[in-house]
Amino acid sequence: MNLQGLSLRLERGSADRQIRRQVDRVERYLAGIAESASGEGPHPEPVEGSHPELAEGPVLFFNASTRVHTLSLNAAFSLLASWSVRLAGVSVRYVVCHSGMEQCILGTRSESPQHPPPCGSCVHFSEHLFPRELVIPLTSPRDPATDLDGEPLESLVSFQRRNLPVGQLCLPGLRWALRRHHLSDDAATRQLFRQYLGSAGNLADQFERILEETRPRALVVFNGIMYPEAVARAVAQRRGIPVITHEVGLQPFSTFFSHDHATFRQVNLRAQEELKPDREEQLEAYLQERRRGRFSMAGIEFWPEIESLPEALTSRIAKFRQMVPIFTNVVFDTSQTHANVLFQDMFDWLEALADPIAADPETLFVLRAHPDEDRPGKVSRESVADWFHRSPLRGRENVVFIPPSEYVSSYELIDRAKCVLVYSSSVGLEASVLGVVALCAGRARYTQADTVFFPSNRHAYLSQLEQFLAAERIEMPGTMRENAKAFLYHELYHASLDLSEFLRPYPSLPGMVLFSDFEPVQLDAHPTLNVIRNGVLEGAQFVLDGRELQLGELDRVVP
């Protein structure tokens, strides 16, 4: 072993001991609280909309798709939430995978899908996180999908098991694991799909049994889209059990919790005045940091630096009547599950842009690939770069392609833009905040509000694009910019639930975390944990200050 390998091994050992030490510290505190309560105290009220007989049952926590042998943000969020629920005197059980899948999402290697999952290290790490007496293990599958041998990919996608659409539940995770949207109908892909389907069937059976035996008052899962959590969610919902999902938030060490999918949070809208000056300043400071590249998502920093537009590009822009940037997404990201409503997928949208681009030689179109497409360890196997080099756009005088490895400022492109074209990227919302019209082609969390142009169908989208390109000037509706500001502010400072007091970054693994050395008593009345606990136990909204999002002009109701 070389020195670097030895150093990483020592660091990991130290990190594991720190996590174990802090978990043990919290568990001792929780045990003391439980002992002093001696089983007395008020019984929690039933969750609104659930079966009254479920209210006395435990809250189940399950997150098999967010970590293996180190602590991820979402694994930490789940554990912190569970501690908060236990402090309220409510029973908790941890549903934990004990080699319960033929192949799991994080165990799948996109370049070698048949490599076995890392069950040993995963189970070992779980033993340090959860008290043994509170664990419900998911054991090895007994129902491999051998009856699907020889079936084409299309049949696997449509496969159902006991009226559960297992194929559709497995599909988003399969795309994520293989780092592509369009799957190859080859032997390796079909074998991996069958492993997912067999594992999903086993999980469905085990969750049916667990739910019948425990009669839980709620189930909390990571994301709800990866197949283990998607199956658990579907089985629980069929029984009328409330399901809560969580994902990383927009701020460092923050999380979104939701009674729906955390990747697409429904927002209650009502009217208000414009943002107050202090909030405008807060939002502007956030955007200035974004302009400098000083931001991260899920603990990952996309931009080592931000570069101004190169002189060659600015000179080229000056030769055209107008410039329109096109911002893409990572096509296998789980957010795309919600996005594909006007177009079949992001590449279908890009194909549809070919004719309008060819018909408008006076407009320069700048196609900007998402910087996360070539992240080490998560490189897209179906990239915008690959698509562009095969597309009719390559070689056109009025098209410039910016690959993900070039850290050119998206904000300088927005500043110079006639309008902005996005699929479902958050840059569409930011463009509206900056006063530039954004035309959105995919359903995004912000399209539920009047923050961007989001036509109702494919034909309407292409018609709207034609109008924008032909117009001398595009007028943004009077309330759209203020709506966008209010929506972004809400996402940043009310819906992103800050848990930074309890976490710190893992030294050498971006996206992984350690617990800070906090006193367990800090869990008792922490405002963020209170919001999460009330949402889980009482069905309340997962919003700081209990605020609904307010948009637009005073007395104006958003449709």
Side-chain angles (χ1 to χ4, degrees):
M1 180 182 297
N2 59 30
L3 287 177
Q4 183 179 12
L6 177 62
S7 176
L8 289 174
R9 185 173 180 177
L10 291 173
E11 179 187 88
R12 178 166 294 177
S14 175
D16 286 348
R17 287 191 295 274
Q18 191 277 338
I19 291 170
R20 190 159 59 246
R21 188 166 56 247
Q22 188 63 23
V23 169
D24 289 345
R25 192 179 181 192
V26 171
E27 288 296 338
R28 287 194 300 272
Y29 178 74
L30 291 169
I33 294 291
E35 185 177 344
S36 63
S38 301
E40 301 297 329
H43 294 290
E45 293 295 321
V47 176
E48 183 178 353
S50 69
H51 300 301
E53 65 270 22
L54 301 181
E56 299 301 323
V59 176
L60 302 183
F61 284 80
F62 178 53
N63 58 10
S65 303
T66 185
R67 60 95 190 148
V68 178
H69 48 67
T70 51
L71 191 67
S72 70
L73 279 165
N74 274 299
F77 297 151
S78 178
L79 202 51
L80 287 164
S82 75
W83 291 338
S84 179
V85 169
R86 289 166 63 187
L87 278 169
V90 176
S91 174
V92 161
R93 293 293 181 271
Y94 301 100
V95 183
V96 181
C97 183
H98 281 211
S99 305
M101 292 173 272
E102 289 184 79
Q103 185 57 277
C104 63
I105 299 291
L106 293 185
T108 303
R109 298 184 181 183
S110 60
E111 73 285 356
S112 180
Q114 301 315 315
H115 194 277
C119 296
S121 58
C122 181
V123 173
H124 179 72
F125 189 64
S126 295
E127 291 171 349
H128 297 317
L129 296 180
F130 311 116
R132 184 174 302 177
E133 66 274 13
L134 300 184
V135 167
I136 301 175
L138 296 172
T139 54
S140 57
R142 298 184 301 274
D143 184 24
T146 53
D147 55 333
L148 296 174
D149 287 350
E151 292 291 334
L153 188 67
E154 183 179 358
S155 296
L156 301 182
V157 171
S158 60
F159 177 68
Q160 294 202 18
R161 186 177 186 277
R162 298 174 188 170
N163 295 319
L164 195 69
V166 180
Q168 287 294 324
L169 293 175
C170 288
L171 187 58
L174 183 66
R175 285 170 166 159
W176 187 91
L178 294 179
R179 310 292 194 250
R180 60 188 306 116
H181 178 82
H182 297 100
L183 301 173
S184 301
D185 193 357
D186 56 29
T189 301
R190 291 193 300 271
Q191 182 178 349
L192 179 61
F193 207 164
R194 287 195 299 271
Q195 288 180 329
Y196 280 13
L197 293 173
S199 301
N202 177 57
L203 293 179
D205 289 347
Q206 294 200 58
F207 265 98
E208 289 283 8
R209 174 184 57 78
I210 290 167
L211 299 179
E212 181 64 30
E213 292 176 355
T214 61
R215 306 291 287 170
R217 62 184 292 164
L219 169 67
V220 182
V221 300
F222 158 65
N223 181 290
I225 293 178
M226 299 302 190
Y227 86 79
E229 292 81 7
V231 167
R233 180 175 183 262
V235 172
Q237 287 182 325
R238 291 204 303 195
R239 288 174 167 260
I241 296 168
V243 182
I244 295 96
T245 67
H246 60 88
E247 255 291 2
V248 292
L250 294 184
Q251 299 277 25
F253 303 111
S254 73
T255 178
F256 291 122
F257 272 66
S258 174
H259 296 287
D260 192 7
H261 276 131
T263 49
F264 189 92
R265 300 162 300 285
Q266 293 291 339
V267 179
N268 296 321
L269 311 181
R270 57 193 176 94
Q272 80 154 28
E273 298 180 273
E274 298 177 359
L275 285 181
K276 295 179 180 179
D278 60 331
R279 293 185 175 184
E280 286 267 13
E281 292 175 5
Q282 196 175 5
L283 196 58
E284 177 59 27
Y286 166 81
L287 290 172
Q288 286 300 322
E289 289 297 289
R290 298 268 299 181
R291 279 183 177 272
R292 298 184 182 102
R294 298 174 185 168
F295 64 91
S296 63
M297 190 67 183
I300 305 297
E301 294 184 357
F302 295 142
W303 307 87
E305 58 183 348
I306 290 285
E307 300 171 0
S308 293
L309 301 185
E311 185 178 348
L313 179 55
T314 58
S315 298
R316 194 163 177 182
I317 291 172
K319 296 177 182 178
F320 289 82
R321 181 173 69 90
Q322 56 194 14
M323 186 273 290
V324 173
I326 304 169
F327 294 101
T328 63
N329 288 78
V330 177
V331 73
F332 60 81
D333 189 78
T334 53
S335 66
Q336 298 305 284
T337 304
H338 313 288
N340 303 326
V341 292
L342 306 188
F343 296 86
Q344 293 180 19
D345 54 68
M346 183 187 71
F347 290 112
D348 181 40
W349 166 61
L350 291 174
E351 295 281 356
L353 293 180
D355 286 344
I357 289 173
D360 192 348
E362 294 184 346
T363 300
L364 179 66
F365 294 88
V366 180
L367 178 60
R368 179 79 170 91
H370 196 285
D372 205 29
E373 271 201 344
D374 63 357
R375 187 210 304 181
K378 196 182 173 184
V379 175
S380 177
R381 301 173 73 86
E382 186 181 17
S383 68
V384 172
D386 290 340
W387 174 87
F388 176 75
H389 291 303
R390 297 192 309 267
S391 80
L393 300 184
R394 184 183 182 188
R396 292 201 61 86
E397 285 296 319
N398 66 332
V399 177
V400 172
F401 176 65
I402 300 177
S405 56
E406 292 186 14
Y407 304 115
V408 172
S409 172
S410 297
Y411 297 96
E412 290 188 21
L413 288 173
I414 294 172
D415 291 340
R416 294 170 176 264
K418 167 79 170 292
C419 63
V420 168
L421 306 185
V422 300
Y423 197 61
S424 59
S425 169
S426 60
V427 77
L429 178 64
E430 292 179 329
S432 284
V433 169
L434 295 170
V436 178
V437 164
L439 179 59
C440 201
R443 183 170 175 252
R445 67 186 188 280
Y446 54 82
T447 57
Q448 63 187 294
D450 185 23
T451 60
V452 294
F453 284 85
F454 183 52
S456 59
N457 56 58
R458 181 189 186 110
H459 175 75
Y461 174 89
L462 294 173
S463 177
Q464 184 73 79
L465 174 59
E466 183 180 357
Q467 292 176 35
F468 281 171
L469 294 177
E472 205 52 47
R473 178 181 173 83
I474 305 173
E475 294 293 339
M476 181 179 285
T479 59
M480 186 173 284
R481 186 178 186 185
E482 297 307 317
N483 289 348
K485 290 179 182 179
F487 193 99
L488 181 56
Y489 189 91
H490 174 86
E491 289 276 277
L492 287 167
Y493 303 110
H494 293 296
S496 290
L497 305 177
D498 180 18
L499 291 170
S500 59
E501 183 174 339
F502 305 103
L503 302 170
R504 55 190 175 92
Y506 197 108
S508 61
L509 292 176
M512 300 293 114
V513 294
L514 304 176
F515 287 115
S516 60
D517 296 322
F518 61 87
E519 293 295 331
V521 70
Q522 293 172 240
L523 298 165
D524 282 345
H526 193 275
T528 298
L529 290 176
N530 286 345
V531 167
I532 294 173
R533 182 174 61 243
N534 291 339
V536 171
L537 299 181
E538 301 173 14
Q541 293 300 307
F542 295 100
V543 180
L544 287 169
D545 302 331
R547 297 175 57 89
E548 293 179 316
L549 174 58
Q550 303 178 351
L551 297 177
E553 300 173 330
L554 188 63
D555 298 329
R556 177 180 181 272
V557 178
V558 177

